[in-house]
Amino acid sequence: MSDQELTEDLPAVIAEMEAKVAEFPKSLMAHHHLALVYRKAGRQNDALKELHTCIEIDEASAESYINLGALYFEMGELEKSLEANKKALIHSANPAQAHCNIGLIHQQQGDNDKAIDAYTKATLNDPRLAFAWINLAAAKIGAGKYAEALDAARKGIENDPDYPMAHNNLAVALYYNDKFQESDKAMKKAESLGYPVEPMFKQVLAEKL
């Protein structure tokens, strides 16, 4: 089912999932799916309840901790999000996503050093995770490590050539490395892929061309 179909049919999907939970109250999958559709419907508190139920059923459910952390992040509960992702690290066979989420939290808190550490761990666990490289580039820019940021941004492109945000962050990294023509090319590529480039960045880059 597509996102559009899911959105249009949310009441029916929720009713179906609630019936599944009622029929199989100990089913981790049933509660987890219900949590996801509650989240899709904007019913955050109901989604939280279902995810906590998932963890009660299986305290080693890394996916439940990941989604719990994502939900808390959306709600602005950064410390609770951090706690959930740290638990995901303990139970996950591939902790790259949890490390990446922890990086996002630290970045949101303005701690670039901790963000860089978390994103670096994500790339070490899964070198193909483009999102980790892209955000590592942003954190490196924030820390003034422009050459390292450019290397990370290029890794992001290498792993996902059609990722709009990857081309935007590459444009920013190129700008800070005084590669203005290349930056403009990357920025236009980001826009062609649908990324909403920051108008202020477009202005300052135009002044360098």
Side-chain angles (χ1 to χ4, degrees):
M1 180 178 289
S2 70
D3 283 346
Q4 182 178 353
E5 290 171 329
L6 177 58
T7 301
E8 292 172 353
D9 296 338
L10 266 178
V13 174
I14 288 172
E16 181 183 347
M17 292 294 99
E18 287 176 338
K20 283 288 185 184
V21 165
E23 185 179 0
F24 304 104
K26 297 297 183 182
S27 169
L28 174 66
M29 184 177 296
H31 283 284
H32 195 260
H33 286 171
L34 180 56
L36 295 181
V37 293
Y38 276 152
R39 181 182 174 190
K40 184 77 173 179
R43 294 171 58 176
Q44 294 175 320
N45 289 331
D46 289 328
L48 282 177
K49 181 181 176 182
E50 291 303 316
L51 288 170
H52 280 294
T53 299
C54 290
I55 292 165
E56 289 173 9
I57 293 170
D58 181 4
E59 64 179 12
S61 174
E63 190 175 2
S64 297
Y65 287 117
I66 287 288
N67 283 293
L68 183 62
L71 188 53
Y72 275 132
F73 187 85
E74 289 174 6
M75 298 170 71
E77 299 275 2
L78 298 185
E79 289 303 322
K80 289 182 180 179
S81 179
L82 184 60
E83 180 183 353
N85 279 289
K86 284 182 176 178
K87 287 181 179 178
L89 287 178
I90 297 170
H91 300 293
S92 179
N94 181 4
Q97 185 62 58
H99 280 304
C100 201
N101 292 346
I102 289 169
L104 281 172
I105 295 165
H106 289 311
Q107 208 167 357
Q108 187 76 10
Q109 293 172 327
D111 193 330
N112 276 315
D113 288 340
K114 286 185 178 180
I116 288 169
D117 180 67
Y119 290 138
T120 300
K121 287 175 180 175
T123 62
L124 291 172
N125 278 274
D126 186 355
R128 297 168 298 176
L129 186 59
F131 189 66
W133 288 110
I134 293 163
N135 283 283
L136 178 59
K140 293 275 191 180
I141 289 168
K145 299 178 179 180
Y146 302 134
E148 294 176 19
L150 183 54
D151 289 340
R154 284 176 168 154
K155 279 284 188 179
I157 298 288
E158 179 183 319
N159 284 282
D160 193 343
D162 295 322
Y163 199 152
M165 185 179 173
H167 291 278
N168 178 77
N169 287 15
L170 175 62
V172 176
L174 286 163
Y175 174 87
Y176 280 105
N177 281 276
D178 298 327
K179 298 178 183 293
F180 304 120
Q181 295 293 336
E182 291 179 60
S183 177
D184 184 56
K185 182 179 179 181
M187 182 197 71
K188 288 175 179 174
K189 178 66 173 179
E191 288 188 311
S192 73
L193 291 169
Y195 190 86
V197 176
E198 182 68 38
M200 183 63 72
F201 175 69
K202 294 174 71 172
Q203 180 180 330
V204 296
L205 176 57
E207 292 171 358
K208 296 290 188 178
L209 297 173

